[in-house]
Amino acid sequence: CAEDGWWGPGVAPHAEEDVSLRPFEVRTSEEELEDLYSRMDRTRPVPSVEDSRFHYGFNSQHLQEVVSYWRRDFDWRRQVHGLNRYPHFRTRIEGIDVHYVHVKPRRVAEGAPALPIILVHGWPGSFYEFYRLIPLLTEPENPEEPVFEVVCPSIPGYGFSEAPHKRGFDSVCAANIFQKLMKRLGFQKFFAHGGDWGWQITTNMAQLDPGSVRGLHLSFAPPSKPGLLVALSLMFGRLFPTLFGFTEADRRLLYPCTEKLLLESMKESGYLHIQATKPDTAGRALNDSPVGLAAYILEKFSTWTNQNFRDLEDGGLTRKFSLDDLLTNVMIYWTSGCITSSMRFYKENFGKGLDQPHSRIPVNVPTGFACFPNDVMHSPKLWVKQKYRNLIRYTPMPRGGHFAAMEEPQLMAEDIQEFTKTVEKMIKL
């Protein structure tokens, strides 16, 4: 995938690819809404076990309340109008249409051009995760802060990007496509930010063409190839924290290891095993049922935001997000019919084994890491540095979980701004 691929149907044509940038608009119709409502009206509720809260998955009683709001109060037409407040485009790369949002700043100070940045989402999120972050980057209140030009694509197979028609489309292939996208938009050098799969894709972008990535900012970075030092730090870091640079927060989030790393991973990784082996089976059911799809996606927005939310009857969903925002993300999956192809991304990545070449290649571009305390996996600075050799900023965040850009856009914007300022100073030296 470091070279040109073809992910469209059939055999690649001999003609040159259409490289035009086509404006795109999110739309809906009465037929689409009628079909959705009829499926919701025919849902068959299953009572939850008493006192189960969110420990068995999405609580059925609360799901009925969410569905009731979705059916009666949620205004998809209004949300579509909101989605279109930023310019959308599609362009064909390696045989498939790639969707992206491209937001240029309204004002740029003379002699200080906008900094291009690509923001890459993960699963089960979408480009919409970044909608509250975008204006903080393109129109900062403080004139001293850097101004960004934001490109926010949908991973192929997610949202309004076409799904690959061939087997094998993994994070390296996505990285190659996004590198081409940025160059097609005229950016020879740019910043990149990612969380969840966006972490892996932007990391691969920095590995494929380090000269093009001015700086890499991440909010998720589990050890891709844990070595001896990581193992030793786990074994002895609780007793000798200073030896490994562990903070009190590191010790709190890592220990006891059996509970924090092993048992929690077993509790929360069932979806991963399904999607990494037989995604199409579960995907077919989710693509048929909007209620099932909402339960499957929103359960992650509960537990991955804060694991303690499993103890709440409502999963704590609206403690950090609005139902309108959560259901807008679900509707992007529903209306595009992309749940199965989004799940296949796990199969394509894990199906090739855990010893892929990119897992062994260090990243040497300037890197910043925003460490949100409630993310699904904690990564101490020592661990991040094993892969990212030029880690110039590591920020322990005061709050926030896995969907940090959506949950805490202000914190994320501030860290991206500080990171890029540091990189720009280094470049000028």
Side-chain angles (χ1 to χ4, degrees):
C1 281
E3 300 175 356
D4 288 353
W6 173 260
W7 304 104
V11 180
H14 295 295
E16 285 193 19
E17 194 162 61
D18 176 12
V19 298
S20 62
L21 310 174
R22 310 186 310 275
F24 174 82
E25 189 175 55
V26 184
R27 295 180 179 175
T28 188
S29 65
E30 195 61 38
E31 292 76 21
E32 182 177 74
L33 291 171
E34 285 177 2
D35 175 69
L36 170 69
Y37 295 151
S38 69
R39 291 170 188 262
M40 292 168 70
D41 290 342
R42 295 199 307 273
T43 188
R44 299 191 298 170
V46 178
S48 292
V49 177
E50 292 178 7
D51 198 35
S52 60
R53 291 159 286 179
F54 265 60
H55 288 282
Y56 283 61
F58 205 110
N59 181 276
S60 186
Q61 182 177 340
H62 184 60
L63 182 60
Q64 284 304 109
E65 295 171 10
V66 171
V67 171
S68 176
Y69 178 85
W70 191 6
R71 179 68 174 86
R72 294 175 174 81
D73 301 305
F74 179 74
D75 188 344
W76 176 232
R77 293 185 187 278
R78 181 168 169 265
Q79 296 304 118
V80 165
H81 181 74
L83 288 173
N84 288 322
R85 70 179 179 269
Y86 299 134
H88 294 247
F89 300 87
R90 292 177 90 183
T91 189
R92 186 159 287 261
I93 304 176
E94 297 187 3
I96 53 177
D97 277 341
V98 177
H99 161 261
Y100 62 98
V101 172
H102 187 181
V103 187
K104 299 178 181 180
R106 285 194 284 262
R107 293 177 301 277
V108 179
E110 191 174 339
L115 301 174
I117 186 169
I118 182 170
L119 309 176
V120 185
H121 66 89
W123 187 92
S126 64
F127 65 91
Y128 186 63
E129 286 180 63
F130 300 112
Y131 259 46
R132 283 184 169 78
L133 174 63
I134 288 172
L136 301 177
L137 298 177
T138 59
E139 313 289 339
E141 290 184 3
N142 184 349
E144 300 298 315
E145 296 296 347
V147 176
F148 293 89
E149 183 171 344
V150 175
V151 177
C152 189
S154 296
I155 301 170
Y158 288 70
F160 305 117
S161 279
E162 186 177 352
H165 296 261
K166 305 283 192 293
R167 297 172 65 176
F169 188 89
D170 62 8
S171 63
V172 179
C173 304
N176 193 45
I177 280 182
F178 288 168
Q179 279 281 9
K180 290 184 175 183
L181 172 64
M182 294 303 279
K183 287 178 173 58
R184 189 172 293 183
L185 294 175
F187 304 125
Q188 300 306 313
K189 290 181 179 290
F190 52 87
F191 287 91
H193 164 81
D196 196 88
W197 279 124
W199 141 72
Q200 189 67 75
I201 293 169
T202 54
T203 294
N204 293 156
M205 291 174 75
Q207 292 169 317
L208 286 172
D209 187 1
S212 68
V213 180
R214 294 169 72 109
L216 174 64
H217 186 270
L218 304 170
S219 60
F220 185 65
S224 55
K225 192 75 176 171
L228 179 61
L229 190 56
V230 170
L232 289 172
S233 71
L234 264 181
M235 292 169 62
F236 302 111
R238 194 175 193 177
L239 292 174
F240 309 103
T242 55
L243 191 63
F244 303 98
F246 281 5
T247 64
E248 279 301 314
D250 292 330
R251 294 173 71 191
R252 186 181 74 254
L253 294 168
L254 288 176
Y255 300 101
C257 289
T258 304
E259 177 190 333
K260 295 292 177 69
L261 300 180
L262 182 61
L263 293 179
E264 277 300 326
S265 293
M266 290 181 67
K267 284 181 184 178
E268 297 301 329
S269 62
Y271 81 98
L272 188 151
H273 295 282
I274 292 171
Q275 294 176 192
T277 53
K278 303 291 178 66
D280 284 33
T281 306
R284 179 59 188 261
L286 297 172
N287 198 55
D288 264 2
S289 169
V291 176
L293 180 68
Y296 197 68
I297 289 176
L298 296 184
E299 183 235 306
K300 304 307 178 197
F301 276 83
S302 166
T303 307
W304 291 0
T305 297
N306 190 321
Q307 291 175 348
N308 293 330
F309 285 176
R310 288 177 302 208
D311 293 325
L312 303 174
E313 294 290 345
D314 63 356
L317 279 171
T318 54
R319 293 193 177 193
K320 293 289 187 174
F321 312 104
S322 71
L323 272 182
D324 279 353
D325 282 343
L326 292 170
L327 290 171
T328 295
N329 182 64
V330 171
M331 285 293 286
I332 289 169
Y333 277 81
W334 176 257
T335 58
S336 65
C338 75
I339 187 61
T340 303
S341 54
S342 75
M343 292 161 68
R344 286 179 190 150
F345 202 55
Y346 287 78
K347 172 80 169 177
E348 304 298 8
N349 281 283
F350 290 104
K352 296 179 180 179
L354 301 177
D355 195 33
Q356 291 302 296
H358 67 79
S359 70
R360 303 188 297 272
I361 299 172
V363 175
N364 295 309
V365 305
T367 304
F369 183 68
C371 185
F372 288 88
N374 293 322
D375 209 337
V376 293
M377 175 172 282
H378 178 64
S379 297
K381 187 175 183 179
L382 175 75
W383 295 9
V384 180
K385 286 174 69 175
Q386 301 311 297
K387 175 84 171 183
Y388 303 92
R389 304 293 172 82
N390 193 6
L391 184 69
I392 64 171
R393 182 177 175 84
Y394 179 97
T395 313
M397 289 297 188
R399 60 189 178 276
H402 191 65
F403 305 98
M406 188 172 173
E407 179 189 348
E408 297 288 349
Q410 187 67 48
L411 288 179
M412 186 71 84
E414 290 170 1
D415 203 64
I416 291 173
Q417 288 163 344
E418 291 302 317
F419 167 67
T420 52
K421 284 192 287 189
T422 303
V423 173
E424 291 300 292
K425 286 177 184 175
M426 290 170 54
I427 292 172
K428 290 174 182 176
L429 290 177

